[in-house]
Each structure stands twice: as structure tokens, then as C-alpha cells.
Amino acid sequence: MELIWDGIVKAIIALVTLDPGIIEVALLTFQVSGAATLLSVLIGIPLGSVLALSQFPGRNVLVSIANFGMGLPPVVVGLWVSIFLWRSGPLGFLNIIYTPYAMIIAQAVIASPIVISLTLAVIQQINPQIRLQLTALGANRTQMAWALVKESRLGLLAAVMAGFGGVISEVGASMMVGGNIKGMTRIFTTATVMEVSKGNFDVAIAFSILLMLLAYVVTAILTAIQQGRNNR
Amino acid sequence: MSKVIEIIDLTLVLQGKTILKIPYFSLDREESIALTGPNGAGKSTFLFVMAALQKPTAGTVSLFGKNVKDHSLLELRRRMAVVFQKPMMFDLTVMENLELGLKYRQINHKEKENKIYHWLEKMRLAHLVKRRARSLSGGEAQRVALAQALILEPEIIFLDEPFANLDKEMRQELIDEIGKTLKAGKITTVMVTHHRMEAAAIADSIYNMEDGEIINREFCN
Ligand SMILES: Nc1ncnc2c1ncn2[C@@H]1O[C@H](COP(=O)(O)OP(=O)(O)OP(=O)(O)O)[C@@H](O)[C@H]1O
Ligand SMILES: [Mg+2]
């Protein structure tokens, strides 16, 4: 009990005093997961819409791959992204292993299937009458897709939140491709794991509280956008 | 007069059931017709086929003298407009709902606004511009759907029971208004209705359908 209390106090002190070390970790956590989510949205919403709106051979296979991808173990992603980014690997020339860029890539790989699958589901369940009406109004393919994305913005924002939730909480991939280097690739989850392994449970608890706080604030902002739009 | 719709040997089979069987049908430019018939006769489906929204199983459909099979459907559709039997409002404001078709046709902003306000006025919708369209009553939504189609100044308009949700007074008012608009705009019209009075007010002739076939045609005077 005392440990938890110590952790809470440490978290509050870090927040109030704006502890530069912790602010740095918070900022990087936000930047990496934010960029990865953005990337996965840029990939996932168009791909998910295309999958939802078109019929072609092999479509169902792609859909099942995307659905399976939602459950990709982060450690597996971390391993494969490392292999590719490794100095001798196919993308080794990029020279980004153990940098935040590598973490963004790994996290985007984790989040993209989530965004693709949920986008697909959200767009597919739009009333077919809506699509018929857009066709009759003279929408071309792009105009149709855009109108449907707007129509399903509630569900799509949920997809974005799910994607963000998936990456801000993962540790395996970021650890493997980032390396948890202080001041460089250390984020809340990797820092928490490290502190636990060192036996600093109070610090770990403080990190975990700050991580949840960060995740909550971002999600609350997205929720406000989602619900605000709806209540007008 | 030139034929804007011509259908030859049309059959439509959906899920093993023959829904439409039309050996020949044509519509001249500026002609107005009504389709009547019992529930399930195939009126709405016939409308979809004519509006290039439903592919026939066999037969030819020509619009504006062009076989829809080898012509850009998008281009043909942009010369027509449809008011559906169960119009859906998009989860946008009334204004934005009316804007959609105009946006797709790249109408410039100023002209777009003028048209929208003109039709809001005509359809007695001016007080609802900023409302979320999903919160409209059935009759209000019906009027938005009518405005959404008429605003496009189509060459052919398809109306599927467009006055069904309106009270008696509003119905009479809009039938007169829309009848005049269609005549003045020289818009070729196909309207599904169960009411002879509506049919007579708008159509030159009435086609009766039953079991997917046209069984007779009456002329109105
Ligand atoms: N996609 C479909 N698959 C199978 N049957 C269909 C499909 N669409 C319509 N039908 C059937 O085709 C027939 C004609 O339907 P349609 O909607 O054209 O009738 P309608 O004349 O407009 O009737 P109402 O007056 O009730 O609107 C009906 O029996 C309907 O169940
Ligand atoms: Mg019908």
C-alpha cells in the first residue's frame, strides 16, 4: 500500500515540478504514439474504405489478414521491424534503428490493421440506401468515399482511438526497435518495465500513472471532438 | 421528338425471381408519366433501372440515345435526379445536404448559394437551413429530398411517391409548385404514385404495372 502511495506522490511531484526528465519521456511518448497513430490513419482509413467499397478477387483474404493483424503481438512486430531496420537488413541504409523513427514505424505497423479493420466495419455497415443516394446524386468514387467517411466520422474516431490505445500501451516493439535509450528512445512503457526490473516500484507506479493520464487526456480530446460534432 | 429513355427486351431477375419484364418502353423529352400499381409491382425497381442505378439481367437501356452499357454512367447520372421512396438524410445540416449534388457537379460557390436559397424558399424550408437533417420530421425530410433533386436542374427526374409523407395542405401546395416547376423547366418526369389526383396533376399519361409488367397505359387530359 505504501508503495502505491509513494508512486502517486512521485507522479504528482513530477507533474507539479515539471520534472524535465519525466517531461522529456512524456513528450516522446506522445510524439511517437501520435505520429504512429497519424500514419496508421493515413494508411488505414483509405485502405479500409477501399476494402469496404470494392469487390475484387482476394478481397476476403485481405480483410481476414487485416482482422488478424489487429491481434499482432507487439513483440513479433518489434522483431520483424528490427530485422528490416538492422544495419545489414533490407532497410538498414535508413540508419534509424534505435531512434524514435523506428519506434514510430513499429507502432504504425501495430495500429494500421486496427484502423483498417474498424474503418472497414464502420463503412460497410452504413445503410446501403446512403450509397445508392450518393450514386444518384452523381458522386464519383472519390466523392463517394469522402462522403461515407464523413457520414461515419463517429465510428472512425473510435477507430482512431483504438489505434492510439493500441500503440500507447505497447512495450515489446518499442523496446526492441528503440532500445529504451535515456533521452533518446525512452517512453513511459519502456521506462516502466526498466524501473520494475531494477526494483524501483514506486517510480514504476509513478510512470504508469502518468502514462494513463496522458492516454486519458488524448482520448478525452478525441472523444470531445467525436461527441461535440454529434450534438450540434 | 427525341427519346430520352428507351428500353428494349428488359428483364431483371433478382435472387431467382423475375422482378421486371418489359418488352418495350420509351419516353420522349419533356414527357411526364406516372407509374401506378400495387405494392411489389416493381415500380421502384423499374425507376432504378431507368435511372441507371440497377443493371438489368438482359435487354438494353438507352438514356439520351446512349446505351448505358457502353457509356459513362457517371455522366448520364449527372443529367438526372432521383427522389427515393424512403429518402435518407445525410448526417449533415440541411444546407450541406442540399449542397452535395451541386458540389459533385463543380458548381461555383455563388451560384450554389443562390440555388440553395431559391429552393429552400420554394420548398418552405428556409427556417431549417442550419438544422441537422437527421432531426427533421418525415414531411420536412421529404421536402429536403425534393429540393435536393430539383436543385440539380436535371433533364430527367425520377420521383418515387414524393408526396407520401406530406399533410393534405402541404401536399396540394407542393404538387402545384412542383408541377409548375417541372413544366417550366421542361423536365422529363417519371413519378411513382398511388394517387390518381397526383398523377393527373403532373403526368401526361399513367402506366399501370403489375407483377413486373406494364399492363396498360391511360392518357390524362
Ligand atoms: N434486391 C432484391 N432482391 C430480391 N427481390 C427484390 C429486390 N429488390 C426488390 N425486390 C422485389 O421486387 C419486387 C418489386 O419491388 P419494388 O420495390 O420495385 O415494388 P414497388 O412497386 O415499388 O412496391 P411499393 O408500392 O411497395 O413501393 C418486390 O416483390 C420486392 O420484394
Ligand atoms: Mg416502391
Side-chain angles (χ1 to χ4, degrees), chain B residues 43-44 85 160-161:
Chain B
K43 306 178 296 292
S44 298
Q85 188 170 5
D160 199 345
E161 302 191 33

Side-chain angles (χ1 to χ4, degrees), chain A residues 133 137-138 151 153 232, chain B residues 78 88 91 105 132 134:
Chain A
Q133 220 161 300
L137 281 171
E151 192 64 24
R153 56 193 176 261
R232 242 199 305 151
Chain B
R78 285 185 180 170
M88 294 275 301
D91 189 10
R105 286 162 179 73
R132 305 297 298 179
R134 288 269 168 87

Side-chain angles (χ1 to χ4, degrees), chain A residues 27-136:
Chain A
L27 215 59
L28 188 68
T29 305
F30 175 72
Q31 286 168 336
V32 167
S33 292
T37 307
L38 192 69
L39 208 57
S40 69
V41 164
L42 292 178
I43 296 167
I45 291 187
L47 265 181
S49 315
V50 167
L51 280 176
L53 296 176
S54 46
Q55 292 294 337
F56 54 88
R59 173 187 175 274
N60 288 358
V61 177
L62 290 181
V63 173
S64 64
I65 290 175
N67 286 337
F68 158 75
M70 287 204 285
L72 269 186
V75 183
V76 173
V77 174
L79 174 64
W80 282 91
V81 173
S82 301
I83 293 171
F84 273 82
L85 295 181
W86 206 250
R87 302 233 187 282
S88 55
L91 298 175
F93 64 92
L94 291 174
N95 231 341
I96 54 172
I97 186 107
Y98 302 134
T99 69
Y101 298 110
M103 297 159 78
I104 292 171
I105 291 174
Q107 291 196 358
V109 171
I110 293 170
S112 294
I114 300 177
V115 180
I116 293 174
S117 279
L118 296 181
T119 299
L120 172 92
V122 163
I123 302 252
Q124 244 184 334
Q125 63 99 54
I126 293 179
N127 190 330
Q129 173 78 34
I130 287 270
R131 279 165 71 176
L132 194 65
Q133 220 161 300
L134 283 166
T135 310

Side-chain angles (χ1 to χ4, degrees), chain B residues 100-116:
Chain B
L100 284 176
L102 297 173
K103 241 171 34 190
Y104 298 157
R105 286 162 179 73
Q106 267 113 39
I107 307 286
N108 76 52
H109 186 76
K110 186 88 205 109
E111 204 182 330
K112 214 162 58 185
E113 256 187 10
N114 289 339
K115 283 180 202 271
I116 290 174

Side-chain angles (χ1 to χ4, degrees), chain B residues 12-20 36-48 54 85-86 160-161 192-194 209 211-212:
Chain B
L12 176 69
V13 179
L14 292 174
Q15 293 169 22
K17 198 182 144 219
T18 304
I19 310 282
L20 288 176
T36 58
N39 292 138
K43 306 178 296 292
S44 298
T45 315
F46 189 32
L47 212 74
F48 288 174
Q54 168 74 57
Q85 188 170 5
K86 286 173 277 182
D160 199 345
E161 302 191 33
V192 175
T193 177
H194 290 289
M209 292 187 71
D211 286 334

